[in-house]
Amino acid sequence: MGSRGIRIDNLSKRFGAGDTAVLALKDVNMQVAPGEVVGLIGPSGSGKSTLLKCLGAVIDPTSGRMTLDDTVIYDDGWKVRDLRALRRDRIGFVFQAPYLIPFLDATDNVALLPMLAGVPNEEARRRAGELLAALDVQHRALAMPAQLSGGEQQRVAIARGLVNRPPVILADEPTAPLDSQRAMAVIRILNDMARRFETAIIVVTHDEKIIPTFRRIYHIRDGVTHEEAGEGRSPG
Amino acid sequence: MISLAGRDILHAWGKFIFTGIGLGLLIGVTLTMAGVYRGMVDDGKVLLDNSGADLWVVQKDTLGPYAESSSIPDDLWRSIRTMPGVAQAANVTYLTMQVGKGDADVRAMVVGITAGEPGVPGWPPHLVAGRQITRGHYEAVADRATGVRLGDVLSIRRNRYVVVGLAHRMVSSSGDPMVFIPLKDAQEAQFLKDNDAILMQRRRTGANPAFNRPGVPDLLDAVIDSQTGNSYVNAVLVRIRPGFTPQEVAEPIRRWKRLTVYDRAQMEEILIGKLIATSARQIGMFLVILALVSAAIVAFIIYTLTMDKIREIAVLKLIGTRNRTIASMIIQQSLVLGVIGFVVGKITATFAAPLFPKYVLLVPIDSVVGFFAVLAICVLSSLIAIRMALAVDPAEAIG
Ligand SMILES: Nc1ncnc2c1ncn2[C@@H]1O[C@H](COP(=O)(O)OP(=O)(O)OP(=O)(O)O)[C@@H](O)[C@H]1O
Ligand SMILES: [Mg+2]
């Protein structure tokens, strides 16, 4: 194949069977190269979350093919064995609500991922510290999630998504709880990270403010996607 | 790797401490309950120890003198003393009753002991204050648990007794403190009829022409005398000579005197196997219920603690945490709760035990068994929470 980044071909997802079956994704095609940030937009119920879950190897597609760099993850019903390790090592998640672990401080929330992969605590914390610094929250490194502002939590969550240097980051409405200034800051960080770490980033959003910043946008409606060039405006 | 369970506990320590204390009180009750049983067994054993007897001679075919009533003539002890292997034989009476103490009364076991000296079977082996009974009447040695002091006056039936000595842990098999009085007094207390009854019987006897013969004037008096006199005791306590086995000594008494004789092992079997068997089952039932309630509480607490973390668990799974890591987090928390509960329970039981009216004996083995039972219960009751946690779909973390 030789294509880097994440790529899906004719991916379909059906929920249920028989009369009540829902075809949430219909032959979706998508490709995101390393260093690229693309938008995924569509009305409610159109299949955005479903697509993100398939991309994140959280649910299995019914048919179609998905590759990450040179690894085939799904191929018409076949799938790689250890999806859990794949998620841990190669996919970063950033959610609408930051979903930080409430009993771990900011550093350990980020360091937990490398720790889970067997990286020694000190090294994991060092990596976490670096990222928190890059995201400008190092001064809150020892704060518990409940003590952080919404924007700080979101940045810690982004750091967590990035810490294992995954080739792909999936962000589900990462700016929804933020004001426009903070939302732009998050997009700026994502663009920055994509460039710095050669990461392919897919951002699901409803947020009118940030849509003009994408160079490429996938529209999805009733489980069908079509691609469109975005304005690619600088997030300021 | 950091300890997720530990971090969560440190973060929500208040929750853990409070539920741990609640659970601990329950465990404390459970340990105390076991202590009540041990105390009952111990009461039985000290009763036998303190009697100073190797053999108990009682009425034929009874489980006397503690588990059933037994009465035997009070002159049998003389002939028993002459049997081979018998070092000492002494009459004894036991009667559990309300003993008057000033305006109030206490439940006590009144023990009638023969005249003699300390060391005679039936006598309290050691006193903590005062002296042994030296006079033949109206003196008493009482266990401290009766609440009396030296010089106090106790009333038993119609007579009054001065407390001349105090004993410690001299109790009946049901934990009532003992009051020792001279045998004659005790026989009277146990078998004495009230005046009206005596008069009534005299009248009846006098009206009987067989006894009231004009030609034999002393007959009526003799009959009445034998009716009112009390010549029974509950048991004869026997101490055997060194070199004899209890069986060797017991067998001839059984055969020749037509009495039932128990040795120490048989007596223990009667006290523990029969007398307190129902109470023991009662306590056993309580222990089962308390264990179930504790299990239900631990299960419920761990379940709610896990429920509260469903979203975090979904996130942990999404970012690639092993099921094993999540399960061990839940088990560890459950065990920590159990350990807190056990420590609190152990402390509670230790401080509460002396406050109980009856003897509560906390034995280390019960604590050890209790500890492992608590841990086992904690592991088992976390299974429900673990099942739920493992069923959490990592997809739930994404909208
Ligand atoms: N687990 C499921 N079982 C059955 N149907 C499902 C399931 N998950 C999603 N669907 C259906 O699939 C379709 C797409 O759902 P999805 O959650 O992907 O929408 P969405 O674009 O994320 O919407 P929103 O913007 O409201 O989050 C919907 O019709 C939904 O009802
Ligand atoms: Mg959605």
Side-chain angles (χ1 to χ4, degrees):
Chain A
M1 280 275 173
S3 71
R4 299 227 296 119
I6 192 158
R7 178 190 172 115
I8 53 179
D9 298 292
N10 298 323
L11 200 83
S12 295
K13 175 66 186 177
R14 189 177 56 237
F15 288 110
D19 288 349
T20 57
V22 177
L23 196 53
L25 297 175
K26 295 167 197 151
D27 292 327
V28 173
N29 293 297
M30 187 177 214
Q31 183 175 11
V32 186
E36 203 182 9
V37 181
V38 302
L40 175 61
I41 59 181
S44 183
S46 56
K48 302 183 296 295
S49 293
T50 306
L51 179 53
L52 213 59
K53 287 173 193 171
C54 288
L55 288 165
V58 181
I59 58 175
D60 301 335
T62 312
S63 65
R65 180 182 166 90
M66 173 167 140
T67 56
L68 177 55
D69 289 343
D70 285 327
T71 318
V72 179
I73 296 167
Y74 294 111
D75 196 355
D76 269 331
W78 178 92
K79 61 176 173 180
V80 288
R81 200 141 33 95
D82 197 352
L83 291 173
R84 188 184 55 75
L86 177 88
R87 289 201 300 268
R88 184 188 66 203
D89 300 333
R90 303 185 63 187
I91 300 172
F93 294 92
V94 179
F95 314 106
Q96 169 177 343
Y99 291 161
L100 298 176
I101 308 297
F103 50 83
L104 299 179
D105 63 28
T107 304
D108 283 345
N109 255 288
V110 179
L112 180 62
L113 267 99
M115 286 176 187
L116 286 173
V119 174
N121 292 0
E122 288 319 301
E123 170 63 11
R125 292 206 175 104
R126 197 189 55 74
R127 286 188 205 170
E130 266 178 32
L131 268 170
L132 290 176
L135 288 155
D136 216 22
V137 274
Q138 73 274 41
H139 59 292
R140 305 297 281 148
L142 296 179
M144 300 306 276
Q147 301 164 334
L148 298 172
S149 75
E152 287 167 339
Q153 288 184 30
Q154 190 60 298
R155 278 178 280 166
V156 174
I158 292 169
R160 180 175 65 185
L162 295 169
V163 68
N164 274 349
R165 301 285 147 80
V168 181
I169 288 184
L170 305 172
D172 194 8
E173 310 219 17
T175 61
L178 305 178
D179 60 38
S180 63
Q181 210 179 336
R182 290 228 167 74
M184 280 307 174
V186 166
I187 293 302
R188 206 161 45 237
I189 291 161
L190 289 176
N191 277 310
D192 203 34
M193 294 295 143
R195 249 194 322 276
R196 275 202 6 220
F197 302 121
E198 287 276 278
T199 312
I201 300 182
I202 299 165
V203 180
V204 169
T205 192
H206 277 122
D207 194 341
E208 297 294 341
K209 302 180 293 285
I210 66 168
I211 292 172
T213 68
F214 299 115
R215 263 191 212 94
R216 268 192 323 127
I217 293 170
Y218 286 91
H219 284 274
I220 182 165
R221 179 177 287 273
D222 294 335
V224 182
T225 54
H226 69 96
E227 193 191 327
E228 182 177 280
E231 296 176 34
R233 234 186 260 166
S234 157
Chain B
M1 186 60 199
I2 47 177
S3 158
L4 291 175
R7 292 305 189 82
D8 189 19
I9 291 168
L10 287 181
H11 184 245
W13 62 270
K15 214 188 272 184
F16 274 86
I17 294 292
F18 279 114
T19 44
I21 288 175
L23 180 66
L25 294 178
L26 203 60
I27 293 173
V29 174
T30 314
L31 290 175
T32 309
M33 223 52 201
V36 167
Y37 170 72
R38 298 288 182 185
M40 283 166 57
V41 171
D42 198 67
D43 281 348
K45 287 196 174 142
V46 298
L47 170 66
L48 300 183
D49 286 342
N50 289 338
S51 74
D54 299 312
L55 296 175
W56 285 257
V57 180
V58 299
Q59 185 181 338
K60 194 163 167 50
D61 297 330
T62 68
L63 294 174
Y66 311 115
E68 287 181 6
S69 75
S70 141
S71 63
I72 55 177
D74 65 357
D75 51 7
L76 267 176
W77 69 280
R78 286 176 210 280
S79 53
I80 290 172
R81 198 183 49 182
T82 62
M83 306 281 291
V86 174
Q88 281 176 308
N91 280 329
V92 69
T93 65
Y94 295 104
L95 176 62
T96 300
M97 60 183 293
Q98 295 300 119
V99 171
K101 185 184 79 174
D103 294 335
D105 55 10
V106 288
R107 186 145 194 90
M109 184 187 234
V110 174
V111 185
I113 52 176
T114 55
E117 72 265 15
V120 168
W123 278 60
H126 26 250
L127 300 184
V128 290
R131 57 169 176 82
Q132 296 278 8
I133 295 169
T134 51
R135 296 198 297 156
H137 286 293
Y138 312 127
E139 283 188 346
V141 167
D143 187 273
R144 272 200 308 209
T146 53
V148 299
R149 277 169 308 185
L150 289 180
D152 282 359
V153 173
L154 293 174
S155 51
I156 296 167
R157 305 289 299 264
R158 268 180 253 152
N159 296 324
R160 294 157 74 75
Y161 298 80
V162 179
V163 176
V164 296
L166 292 178
H168 174 58
R169 243 188 104 49
M170 298 291 302
V171 291
S172 77
S173 59
S174 41
D176 298 320
M178 285 178 169
V179 173
F180 297 85
I181 59 173
L183 185 78
K184 283 273 172 250
D185 291 352
Q187 282 177 300
E188 229 181 84
Q190 188 170 156
F191 300 102
L192 188 65
K193 298 191 177 105
D194 61 84
N195 286 338
D196 288 342
I198 293 170
L199 285 177
M200 205 97 86
Q201 188 170 33
R202 271 197 194 149
R203 214 174 300 140
R204 252 202 318 274
T205 312
N208 188 334
F211 299 131
N212 198 357
R213 294 197 182 167
V216 199
D218 290 342
L219 178 64
L220 182 62
D221 287 342
V223 169
I224 287 172
D225 226 30
S226 83
Q227 281 174 338
T228 44
N230 166 39
S231 49
Y232 289 94
V233 291
N234 299 121
V236 172
L237 304 178
V238 172
R239 183 169 297 152
I240 60 177
R241 278 183 208 286
F244 286 83
T245 66
Q247 282 69 31
E248 278 179 300
V249 182
E251 196 41 46
I253 303 177
R254 249 176 230 134
R255 182 140 13 106
W256 298 113
K257 302 291 172 196
R258 306 196 170 256
L259 294 165
T260 294
V261 184
Y262 296 112
D263 64 17
R264 168 71 192 228
Q266 290 168 320
M267 215 59 207
E268 257 184 46
E269 167 56 28
I270 290 171
L271 285 186
I272 293 152
K274 296 193 178 15
L275 193 59
I276 64 171
T278 314
S279 310
R281 277 204 301 277
Q282 179 100 336
I283 289 173
M285 195 65 208
F286 262 115
L287 288 178
V288 169
I289 290 170
L290 286 169
L292 289 178
V293 171
S294 310
I297 287 184
V298 176
F300 176 73
I301 291 167
I302 292 297
Y303 185 81
T304 22
L305 286 177
T306 309
M307 267 304 241
D308 290 347
K309 285 199 291 279
I310 281 296
R311 176 156 289 174
E312 286 77 35
I313 288 171
V315 173
L316 284 171
K317 289 178 117 178
L318 182 72
I319 64 178
T321 310
R322 284 192 178 87
N323 279 344
R324 206 189 323 142
T325 311
I326 292 168
S328 91
M329 172 172 100
I330 295 170
I331 288 198
Q332 284 173 43
Q333 294 190 335
S334 182
L335 290 178
V336 166
L337 204 59
V339 170
I340 296 175
F342 181 80
V343 170
V344 172
K346 178 75 190 144
I347 294 171
T348 314
T350 307
F351 281 97
L355 304 179
F356 280 80
K358 278 198 195 180
Y359 189 52
V360 176
L361 177 61
L362 301 172
V363 292
I365 184 71
D366 288 349
S367 297
V368 173
V369 171
F371 182 69
F372 286 106
V374 167
L375 295 191
I377 285 173
C378 285
V379 170
L380 285 179
S381 29
S382 57
L383 293 182
I384 307 165
I386 288 173
R387 266 190 57 167
M388 178 186 66
L390 296 190
V392 171
D393 184 356
E396 279 174 33
I398 303 174

